[in-house]
Amino acid sequence: LVREKSREIRIDNPLPAKSLATKGISTKGKNKKKKSKVASAEIQAIAYLLDCALIALMVMVTTGLLVAAAGINYQVILNLATPIELGVFCGTFFVLYYLLYFSLLDLFGTPGKGLMGLELVGVRNSDPTLKMTAVRSLITLFSIPLFFLPNLLDFQGKLSDSKVIKR
């Protein structure tokens, strides 16, 4: 759809811009990708915390369902397992859910990013790929014991060729 002075013309098989310009039809502003503003670190952190809270909730539900399905009283489990063993058990589920959650949901947008109005895109504003999201989630996961230093330096963005933008 292009505008010619006061009327609109629908073009089913568009001609190159040069051909349209010779017919007096303006093509300014067509086919340009909009520039997106990279989201601030604070907004990204809030979205990340919301997503991690959802992952923790999924781990709690999974643990509760496993205990209920086994028919074991919670008190018995607390007496049999040490806090470290329970931590390793829940931590394993957290890591698995974390990698799946961010690798798959970042393709379309996680709930935390959606609530904060954020979106993951490639560096050239392309759609994210599974490789991008998997690399981002691995680097972010490994940055947790490093006090999030790689995240602060945006290693996950640089190594995965992606960025988080404000919609």
Side-chain angles (χ1 to χ4, degrees):
L1 189 67
V2 293
R3 296 187 188 276
E4 179 183 358
K5 301 211 179 179
S6 64
R7 66 180 184 166
E8 293 180 357
I9 302 171
R10 179 164 298 278
I11 301 173
D12 293 328
N13 188 7
L15 299 171
K18 188 174 183 180
S19 298
L20 292 174
T22 58
K23 297 181 187 285
I25 300 172
S26 171
T27 58
K28 283 187 180 176
K30 305 290 187 249
N31 299 327
K32 286 187 179 178
K33 288 187 178 184
K34 68 176 188 176
K35 289 200 174 190
S36 305
K37 184 178 180 188
V38 175
S40 70
E42 293 84 13
I43 294 175
Q44 289 185 48
I46 293 169
Y48 179 75
L49 290 174
L50 289 170
D51 287 329
C52 284
L54 281 173
I55 295 169
L57 180 65
M58 290 188 305
V59 169
M60 287 189 282
V61 168
T62 301
T63 305
L65 289 174
L66 286 173
V67 170
I72 301 173
N73 188 344
Y74 288 105
Q75 198 61 33
V76 172
I77 291 175
L78 292 175
N79 290 336
L80 290 176
T82 66
I84 292 174
E85 292 170 336
L86 291 174
V88 168
F89 180 78
C90 292
T92 301
F93 273 109
F94 184 85
V95 167
L96 291 173
Y97 283 161
Y98 183 97
L99 292 173
L100 286 171
Y101 182 92
F102 283 107
S103 293
L104 297 176
L105 289 184
D106 257 346
L107 292 170
F108 311 104
T110 63
K113 285 184 178 77
L115 287 172
M116 299 307 295
L118 303 177
E119 182 180 5
L120 180 69
V121 296
V123 289
R124 292 170 193 80
N125 288 341
S126 61
D127 289 335
T129 63
L130 185 59
K131 180 183 174 187
M132 281 181 195
T133 59
V135 168
R136 282 185 72 87
S137 63
L138 276 171
I139 293 170
T140 306
L141 183 65
F142 289 134
S143 75
I144 293 172
L146 299 173
F147 305 106
F148 294 99
L149 185 60
N151 280 15
L152 295 173
L153 299 173
D154 193 33
F155 278 1
Q156 76 278 13
K158 291 178 178 103
L159 293 176
S160 68
D161 291 330
S162 62
K163 61 185 175 180
V164 177
I165 60 169
K166 188 84 172 148
R167 267 192 249 151

